[in-house]
Amino acid sequence: MVNFVYPEELYFFVESIRSFEVSEIGSSKWLEVHEMVIKLSQQAAFEVAQHREEEVKEFLISRDKLRLLIHEAFCVNLWKTRVLPHLLEIDPNPQATFLIYTVLYHEAALVALLDMCLYHPSGREVLQESVLDLVDYCAYSVCQVIGLVSMGYHENESKVDVDEAVLTELERQKRDLIYKIGLRCVSILNYLAENMPLLHLSAARRMMITHDIPWLVTDVLCFRPWQRKTSKGIEKYIDEKWTTVEEMAKIIKPEAQAWFCVRQLILDPEIMKYYTLNEARCKQLSKLVGLMNDALLDQLPVLIDLKQFLGRLTLSGNVANKSHNLLLEDLPQIQEDLLKQVERDGGFYQIAQAQESVFLSTNREEICALASKLSSAYSTELLCELEQNMADSKVDDNVNNDAKGAVGGANVESKENATNSSTKSCAICKAKASKKCANCKQIHYCSRECQLKDWPQHKLTCLGKV
């Protein structure tokens, strides 16, 4: 059975996850843990996609590693926002940016693991006080997505902010990852809202009073960051890729998660006791009524009661202010502890100067050696093979579904497939080819064996196109 992490390695990989300080990012020990985190993230996603037992999730939860994932996400975020700008001041055009991108991608992998673990109630139960830090992190990440969308980031043609034309490739990669992380954080906020009684006592106050998550998610629903209009038509952000869709009204996962989050927070009386529906909040929430059309309610009928509540709220207007008793509440500690350690290390600029030799190295041999080491962590060959397997399974499912339809339609489909296969030949043996590379979609193969034979040469052009 194909795996990114084999069962005998899993325990060691999970146990190796530990906390780092901002000054340690990019060190050899940090890179070792980074490789393990990447492989765990790939394995966890593969287990979900293949409907297998989620062993990575079980190990992370049982070994109490979720708090460390939150800590590391905050650590990388601080490095990205406070150290990286100083590094780029030292050298605005570094020779090799792949190590910087590695750090940025590390944060996305951590959030992906958190997203998959917190889907399960058992994952939310073990968070304890670290949920307060997680709420802060998610609120900040969602705000960043709203900021990018307001500048026209997701519109890739005409509606683009002025700075986009002069952005470096590194900045574009950075924004792409901010976008992915922010949309995953919408899902995480929904999971937290679903099981508020399982969370720390201060979690509800943190979400409703400190960050006003209902207001924030309402903005997300109004800006619709998962949809854009291009010359090819309407595209939606499906499985972290922009995909052209024919059915514009079809609801996709990020949009559904945002709706569920608002519904859970607004309709739960225990949560709403922390939330004063003043005039400004009533006006903000009333924007949702115009978005709740018949197509939405047909696909998400659980939103009917939310629409009724918002309708009554619009008619009744401002609700009487609630008095909040003065309570002692816990405060987030992870970011605070990281900032204190940064002060002890001399500040962000001092850390940037210390890391200059790592991230801005001009030694070609060191750069090549590090690039070779990191490339093995991403398992590109295995990813291509698994993506091809998943694409094949989807094709098989479509064929099986078509077989259940009308006989005439099935005949037309089979003729079309026969015509296509007869015009394509395998890149290796020149036989008729029914498969193609899942990445570039250009090269055809008759079997997986031929694809693997061709991969050492094909990957040079294939990965470049991707």
Side-chain angles (χ1 to χ4, degrees), residues 127-317:
L127 289 174
Q128 299 180 1
E129 70 278 359
S130 64
V131 70
L132 306 179
D133 295 275
L134 181 59
V135 170
D136 286 2
Y137 178 84
C138 290
Y140 171 77
S141 299
V142 173
C143 285
Q144 283 192 304
V145 170
I146 293 173
L148 287 176
V149 175
S150 67
M151 294 189 300
Y153 164 78
H154 67 315
E155 301 288 356
N156 67 343
E157 293 184 338
S158 58
K159 297 180 180 179
V160 179
D161 64 302
V162 175
D163 293 336
E164 181 72 16
V166 295
L167 286 178
T168 64
E169 184 63 24
L170 180 63
E171 184 65 20
R172 289 191 178 90
Q173 292 170 341
K174 179 181 171 183
R175 289 190 177 192
D176 287 342
L177 291 174
I178 288 174
Y179 208 76
K180 291 180 180 180
I181 290 169
L183 290 182
R184 278 195 179 270
C185 284
V186 172
S187 295
I188 292 175
L189 288 173
N190 174 46
Y191 301 149
L192 298 181
E194 282 180 355
N195 289 85
M196 197 64 73
L198 299 177
L199 305 180
H200 192 277
L201 291 174
S202 299
R205 290 177 60 87
R206 198 79 186 168
M207 292 183 75
M208 304 301 283
I209 297 177
T210 306
H211 295 293
D212 201 343
I213 297 300
W215 185 298
L216 190 62
V217 179
T218 298
D219 275 342
V220 173
L221 287 165
C222 291
F223 277 108
R224 300 174 67 84
W226 44 78
Q227 179 176 307
R228 69 183 183 184
K229 187 176 181 180
T230 69
S231 58
K232 299 177 182 178
I234 299 296
E235 292 184 345
K236 292 200 173 186
Y237 200 68
I238 302 173
D239 295 332
E240 297 187 339
K241 296 178 183 178
W242 288 109
T243 306
T244 304
V245 295
E246 295 180 359
E247 298 181 36
M248 181 178 173
K250 187 175 181 180
I251 304 300
I252 61 173
K253 180 182 175 182
E255 185 175 6
Q257 296 280 22
W259 279 112
F260 293 152
C261 182
V262 171
R263 178 189 179 278
Q264 186 62 39
L265 293 175
I266 296 299
L267 298 185
D268 189 327
E270 288 299 313
I271 299 176
M272 283 299 288
K273 69 183 181 182
Y274 298 104
Y275 199 65
T276 301
L277 284 169
N278 54 36
E279 183 178 354
R281 285 172 172 167
C282 289
K283 184 177 180 180
Q284 173 74 354
L285 293 174
S286 66
K287 296 177 182 177
L288 298 175
V289 178
L291 302 176
M292 303 179 77
N293 51 41
D294 292 341
L296 174 67
L297 298 178
D298 286 343
Q299 296 173 75
L300 303 176
V302 294
L303 298 181
I304 293 176
D305 52 357
L306 175 62
K307 185 174 183 179
Q308 293 171 345
F309 173 84
L310 294 175
R312 292 193 297 269
L313 183 65
T314 303
L315 293 175
S316 60

Side-chain angles (χ1 to χ4, degrees), residues 40-56:
L40 287 172
S41 176
Q42 293 170 339
Q43 179 67 19
F46 180 56
E47 289 173 350
V48 171
Q50 295 293 308
H51 306 290
R52 286 164 49 178
E53 183 180 355
E54 297 179 45
E55 295 182 352
V56 174

